[in-house]
Amino acid sequence: MPVVALVLFGVFALLGFGWRSWVQRRRTGSTGFRGISGRIGSVEWLAGVGFVVAMAAAVFAPILQLCGVVAPLPVLDHTWLNVVGVVLAVLGIAGTVYAQLDMGDSWRIGVDASERTTLVRTGVFALVRNPTFTAMLVFGLGIALVTPNLVALVGFAILVVTIELQVRVVEEPYLLSVHGDEYRGYTARVGRFVPGLGRFRCAA
């Protein structure tokens, strides 16, 4: 299963970052990478760094398990859970790519405060505001179940926390400052990560 986890992560990285960045560059002349926001030590910076750490954990967890350094936790070490993990990881990859394509030219990784992109509200973005992050969480959970050792589970926990921080502290304030009432209305109708949940009640 560690080898399966590494293959899945490779596919995720190739499609979700490499291929999508290549498509973005061909469309707009930019790769879409904006880097880590905020000054060193700030919450924004920690969110970006945490995401990198979570991705690193997803890679090292199966490698360490393959080398016998860590072992799967007995309570989660079941074939059927491994299979569920593979299915979730595949769905997460597909969902990530689909959501990224739905963003069109507005796709980017990170935030540039001086940049103004179109507010995407159609396609899967009509159902949830952050479908790419939702799909990444599904992928992260799947990978953690494929090689359910302590490193993988800690990495997934870090992924959850950092995605929450990225969305709430970086993405949402940026979009609110750029799109104002248009974004407020959108957040009042559409959930943050799943349909109906995380809407801004105070929005008009």
Side-chain angles (χ1 to χ4, degrees):
M1 294 312 290
V3 174
V4 172
L6 289 171
V7 170
L8 288 169
F9 187 88
V11 173
F12 172 76
L14 180 64
L15 295 179
F17 295 101
W19 176 77
R20 186 60 183 89
S21 179
W22 176 77
V23 170
Q24 189 72 3
R25 187 174 181 82
R26 290 198 64 182
R27 284 180 174 179
T28 68
S30 168
T31 61
F33 282 88
R34 300 295 179 262
I36 297 173
S37 304
R39 69 183 188 282
I40 295 176
S42 66
V43 176
E44 296 91 339
W45 182 83
L46 289 173
V49 171
F51 182 80
V52 174
V53 171
M55 292 296 100
V59 174
F60 282 107
I63 292 175
L64 293 174
Q65 185 170 315
L66 195 61
C67 294
V69 178
V70 296
L73 298 177
V75 68
L76 298 175
D77 190 18
H78 302 287
T79 301
W80 71 271
L81 277 177
N82 298 150
V83 172
V84 169
V86 171
V87 172
L88 289 176
V90 170
L91 290 175
I93 292 169
T96 298
V97 173
Y98 185 85
Q100 288 178 335
L101 289 175
D102 255 7
M103 288 187 75
D105 291 348
S106 293
W107 179 80
R108 75 279 188 284
I109 296 177
V111 168
D112 179 353
S114 65
E115 182 181 30
R116 182 184 178 91
T117 57
T118 302
L119 180 62
V120 181
R121 293 171 292 176
T122 57
V124 70
F125 287 85
L127 301 176
V128 290
R129 302 199 304 270
N130 302 282
T132 303
F133 284 132
T134 299
M136 286 183 177
L137 288 170
V138 172
F139 171 78
L141 176 59
I143 287 293
L145 290 176
V146 174
T147 53
N149 57 59
L150 186 59
V151 175
L153 296 180
V154 170
F156 176 65
I158 293 173
L159 179 66
V160 172
V161 172
T162 54
I163 282 180
E164 283 281 355
L165 288 176
Q166 178 69 21
V167 169
R168 294 172 184 266
V169 180
V170 180
E171 301 277 348
E172 290 179 347
Y174 162 74
L175 291 170
L176 186 59
S177 69
V178 171
H179 297 288
D181 289 340
E182 185 181 11
Y183 184 66
R184 288 189 182 92
Y186 176 53
T187 62
R189 298 187 303 273
V190 180
R192 182 177 280 117
F193 296 114
V194 295
L197 296 180
R199 293 180 294 181
F200 285 4
R201 296 182 181 179
C202 62

